[in-house]
Structure formats: C-alpha cells, structure tokens
Amino acid sequence: AQRVTQPEKLLSVFKGAPVELKCNYSYSGSPELFWYVQYSRQRLQLLLRHISRESIKGFTADLNKGETSFHLKKPFAQEEDSAMYYCALNDNAGNMLTFGGGTRLMVKP
Amino acid sequence: NAGVTQTPKFRVLKTGQSMTLLCAQDMNHEYMYWYRQDPGMGLRLIHYSVGEGTTAKGEVPDGYNVSRLKKQNFLLGLESAAPSQTSVYFCASSWGTGWNSPLHFGNGTRLTVT
C-alpha cells in the first residue's frame, strides 16, 4: 500500500529564510504527487502538482524517484506562507488520494 | 458558484447518537470523497463515490455509511457515534482522477462525540 510521510509536524522559520517541507513516499509504481495547503480559516486547496513542474507563490517541488521524495521548497519565506501543508500521492490506479500527516509552517517576522 | 458546501459546521453528539453530514457540490463533479482529519495523521479517506448511485470504502470506513442518491450530494452517516469519531470531517469533489483533477474541498465539519 502507498504511504506518504511528512516527518516534521511543525516547522518554524524567520521571514526571508529558506524553507523546505519534507515529503517522502512509498509506492511501487509511477506516482502522481501534489502539495495541498490550508491557510487559517480557509479551505484546503491545491498548491502544486509535480507533473506541471510549476512554481506557485514562489514554491517549487521536485520529484526525486531515487530518494522517493517530493520536498516543497521556497528560497525566501513570507509571513503569509504560514499554513498547514499536506503532501499527497495519487497511485493513478485507483481513485484514492493518500495524504501525509501534514506540516504546520510558521513564518515569524 | 459555491463550490463544495458542508453542513453543519459544528456538532456535538453523545455516544450512541446518530447524525448525517451533508456535502453538496455545484461543479457537476463525478467524484466525491469524505475524509477525516486528525492531528498528526493527516487526512484519511473514509468513503468515496465515482458517480451517482455508487459508493466505495476508503481507508477508514468502519462506523460510517454513505449515500450518493444525487450527483451533487454525498451524505456521510454515523449510526452510533463513538468518541473515536471526534474529528474534523472534510468533503471533497473532483471531475476525474489524476494530476489534472485536483480535489475541491469544503470548509469542514467539526464533530465532537462525548
């Protein structure tokens, strides 16, 4: 069965510092990976997906199949980045999106 | 266009009571999902539906039932609530599966079972 692990429950950085939210997965096939974000008092929403190789709000994430990782990175954190971040995996064979445990990012002024 | 709407937003139940959570979407999505969110455990899929009249079990289906009588609605039922079902419940919908079909979430329902 697939699994998504986010080792850090809480990540606290200062404004302007680089940030990396870790995500590791276990899946034997070719995964589709996503990052979802939940800002305070807002609903959970898609941030970015690996296949698009996009940069959203300054965040990027690279799929590393060798390390089975999909870490989310931003070179200069902003206070408005403070939120709950979830890494998710779609096995592409079924209809279930598997989420990690989430990482709360706090960006301090 | 309201997206995904969940009712109620909050509820407190006593052990053994029953209730139904309603999820409605106005995007004509085929797929609908119910997740529960617990600290440190992320979102876990309870049940899902791939179309009107269909339902399927997710990762943690025990103690819950669902129905999809209309395409736009997906109901989650608790027949006999237990304290272990205290959680935040999220409904989501998508038009398909895969990278091009992101999930659209509701605002959540916070349920406390005493």
Side-chain angles (χ1 to χ4, degrees), chain B residues 9-10 37 44 46-47 49 52 54 58 69 73 75-77 82 85-86 92 96 99 102 106-107 114:
Chain B
K9 293 182 180 179
F10 305 95
Q37 181 188 46
R44 292 180 293 168
I46 305 171
H47 286 279
S49 168
E52 181 179 319
T54 74
L69 298 179
N73 295 336
L75 279 63
L76 178 70
Q85 294 177 305
T86 293
W99 70 271
N107 277 323
T114 61

Side-chain angles (χ1 to χ4, degrees), chain A residues 51-93:
Chain A
I51 200 165
S52 300
R53 301 185 67 82
E54 53 203 346
S55 174
I56 303 294
K57 298 184 178 181
F59 284 98
T60 59
D62 291 321
L63 176 60
N64 186 323
K65 290 188 178 180
E67 296 183 356
T68 59
S69 68
F70 187 55
H71 303 327
L72 184 68
K73 301 177 183 179
K74 185 170 183 176
F76 308 103
Q78 302 299 315
E79 289 182 69
E80 55 265 30
D81 296 328
S82 296
M84 194 75 180
Y85 291 81
Y86 291 96
C87 183
L89 180 151
N90 186 338
D91 65 8
N92 210 21

Side-chain angles (χ1 to χ4, degrees), chain B residues 76-91:
Chain B
L76 178 70
L78 286 74
E79 290 186 349
S80 180
S84 61
Q85 294 177 305
T86 293
S87 186
V88 180
Y89 291 86
F90 286 97
C91 176

Side-chain angles (χ1 to χ4, degrees), chain B residues 13-19 63 78-85 111 113-114:
Chain B
L13 289 178
K14 293 185 178 180
T15 297
Q17 287 184 319
S18 64
M19 78 163 294
L78 286 74
E79 290 186 349
S80 180
S84 61
Q85 294 177 305
L111 175 66
V113 183
T114 61

Side-chain angles (χ1 to χ4, degrees), chain A residues 9 32 34 36 38 41-46 49 51-52 84 86 90 92 94-102, chain B residues 2 4 31 33 35 37 40-43 45 48 50 57-59 90 97-103 105-107:
Chain A
K9 291 185 179 180
E32 295 174 347
F34 307 82
Y36 280 79
Q38 187 175 26
R41 297 188 180 87
Q42 294 187 28
R43 59 187 70 195
L44 196 63
Q45 58 188 288
L46 177 69
R49 43 199 154 186
I51 200 165
S52 300
M84 194 75 180
Y86 291 96
N90 186 338
N92 210 21
N95 303 304
M96 298 198 302
L97 197 62
T98 301
F99 285 85
Chain B
V4 178
Y31 294 74
Y33 312 82
Y35 286 89
Q37 181 188 46
M41 305 187 75
L43 282 80
L45 184 64
Y48 64 97
V50 302
K57 294 181 180 180
E59 182 185 357
F90 286 97
T97 61
W99 70 271
N100 203 29
S101 299
L103 269 61
F105 283 87
N107 277 323

